[in-house]
Amino acid sequence: MTSQDDRCGSGPADGARACTVREALDRVGGKWSIGILIAASTGPVRFTELERRVEGISRRMLTLTLRNLERDGLLVRHVHATVPPKVEYTATPMARELYESLVALTRWAERHRDAISGARAAYDREHPVAKPTQSV
Amino acid sequence: MTSQDDRCGSGPADGARACTVREALDRVGGKWSIGILIAASTGPVRFTELERRVEGISRRMLTLTLRNLERDGLLVRHVHATVPPKVEYTATPMARELYESLVALTRWAERHRDAISGARAAYDREHPVAKPTQSV
DNA sequence: CTGCATCCATCGGGATACTG
DNA sequence: CAGTATCCCGATGGATGCAG
């Protein structure tokens, strides 16, 4: 958090391009950002509702991720001053655009899912953790 | 690395969608993956060349990231058995497709760059690290 | 030239308990 | 209900030295 260290003036060539991509990636890089964004993209969602919908997330991480998304302007937090506190989170148009941009990536993942796991299997087959000095 | 723990059967609703996105994100989630991919997408690049082009990367991280990308089938490693070793890395078509899919994200980042930094500034302004018992 | 091994600092993130 | 505070661990990544 609060990490703004990446110097985008990396300079030598395609550093700028790489950096711009990372700008976007960094907003969704967390383990839970996407899940939360999706859950909140259909309308206002309450804290507890998110806790159930995202499934697997801890209260702590939910809060942290929520704060980051809010800070980046991807989520809007609305507090109802009622007796049992009620807080609703809503994805901003910017967040929905982000999600739209992500579909290309999703499709890529679907298209190459097999190729990738294949490549991994092949790699692992040809690159066993060969310890020359140890062979049973 | 070698982390394949994400259970995509998250179940309850949009968990599947979120998971597929993460599949793609996880290949480029590293700090250097994108930079290397871009540098290698225009043609075969040597190890040292990459070390210069990526700029800021350490020899260690270059090697590690290279191995991961190779394992995922995004990079092909070609070793020339010459006296001074010469190894070239080339992005696979799959990797170039990945890069293409990332342009949508890039555009999103460009479009909302100002909005985001603005949101951050506003948030930080309204949420100072207020520690009641400590001031100075 | 290419790359692995080691040491070390930092960070994300899980578990749990406490509070307005 | 909606958080906040602590503790704690594994992963990430930087620096450096050694080796084929």
Side-chain angles (χ1 to χ4, degrees):
Chain A
M1 330 295 175
T2 325
S3 57
Q4 199 68 1
D5 46 5
D6 276 324
R7 51 191 62 277
C8 273
S10 296
D14 13 49
R17 273 183 293 169
C19 173
T20 305
V21 178
R22 296 216 83 246
E23 276 184 64
L25 254 30
D26 286 346
R27 325 272 165 200
V28 240
K31 187 174 181 180
W32 307 103
S33 310
I34 299 282
I36 294 179
L37 244 19
I38 293 177
S41 64
T42 55
V45 195
R46 297 186 57 175
F47 189 89
T48 311
E49 173 73 6
L50 280 170
E51 207 170 356
R52 263 170 307 175
R53 294 263 287 270
V54 177
E55 182 145 13
I57 195 172
S58 65
R59 207 178 249 95
R60 178 184 126 93
M61 286 318 295
L62 179 55
T63 304
L64 284 180
T65 311
L66 243 20
R67 290 292 168 280
N68 284 326
L69 294 174
E70 187 196 352
R71 190 166 100 104
D72 289 345
L74 295 170
L75 241 43
V76 169
R77 188 175 113 117
H78 189 227
V79 184
H80 299 256
T82 57
V83 182
K86 178 177 176 182
V87 183
E88 286 181 325
Y89 294 88
T90 315
T92 62
M94 182 166 77
R96 276 195 284 278
E97 275 185 55
L98 173 58
Y99 181 65
E100 291 304 316
S101 304
L102 247 23
V103 315
L105 220 46
T106 305
R107 289 215 233 288
W108 179 89
E110 285 168 346
R111 255 201 323 269
H112 301 287
R113 186 173 291 160
D114 293 351
I116 292 172
S117 61
R120 293 197 153 201
Y123 184 94
D124 293 347
R125 222 178 303 116
E126 292 172 58
H127 296 263
V129 263
K131 272 296 174 192
T133 47
Q134 262 300 57
S135 58
V136 178
Chain B
M1 329 298 176
T2 324
S3 57
Q4 198 70 0
D5 46 6
D6 275 324
R7 52 189 62 276
C8 272
S10 295
D14 13 51
R17 272 184 292 167
C19 173
T20 305
V21 178
R22 295 216 84 247
E23 274 184 64
L25 254 30
D26 286 346
R27 325 273 164 201
V28 260
K31 187 174 181 179
W32 307 104
S33 310
I34 298 283
I36 294 179
L37 243 20
I38 292 178
S41 65
T42 55
V45 194
R46 296 187 57 176
F47 188 89
T48 311
E49 174 73 4
L50 280 171
E51 207 170 357
R52 263 170 307 175
R53 293 263 290 269
V54 177
E55 184 145 12
I57 194 171
S58 65
R59 205 177 253 102
R60 179 184 127 92
M61 286 319 294
L62 179 55
T63 305
L64 284 179
T65 312
L66 244 21
R67 291 292 166 279
N68 284 327
L69 294 174
E70 188 196 352
R71 191 166 101 103
D72 289 345
L74 294 171
L75 241 44
V76 169
R77 188 175 111 117
H78 189 227
V79 185
H80 298 257
T82 57
V83 182
K86 178 177 172 180
V87 183
E88 285 181 327
Y89 293 88
T90 315
T92 62
M94 182 165 76
R96 276 196 283 278
E97 273 185 57
L98 172 58
Y99 181 67
E100 291 305 316
S101 303
L102 284 169
V103 316
L105 221 45
T106 305
R107 289 216 231 289
W108 179 88
E110 285 168 346
R111 254 201 323 268
H112 301 286
R113 186 172 292 160
D114 293 350
I116 292 172
S117 61
R120 292 197 154 200
Y123 184 95
D124 293 347
R125 220 178 305 117
E126 293 172 59
H127 296 262
V129 264
K131 272 297 175 192
T133 47
Q134 260 304 57
S135 50
V136 172

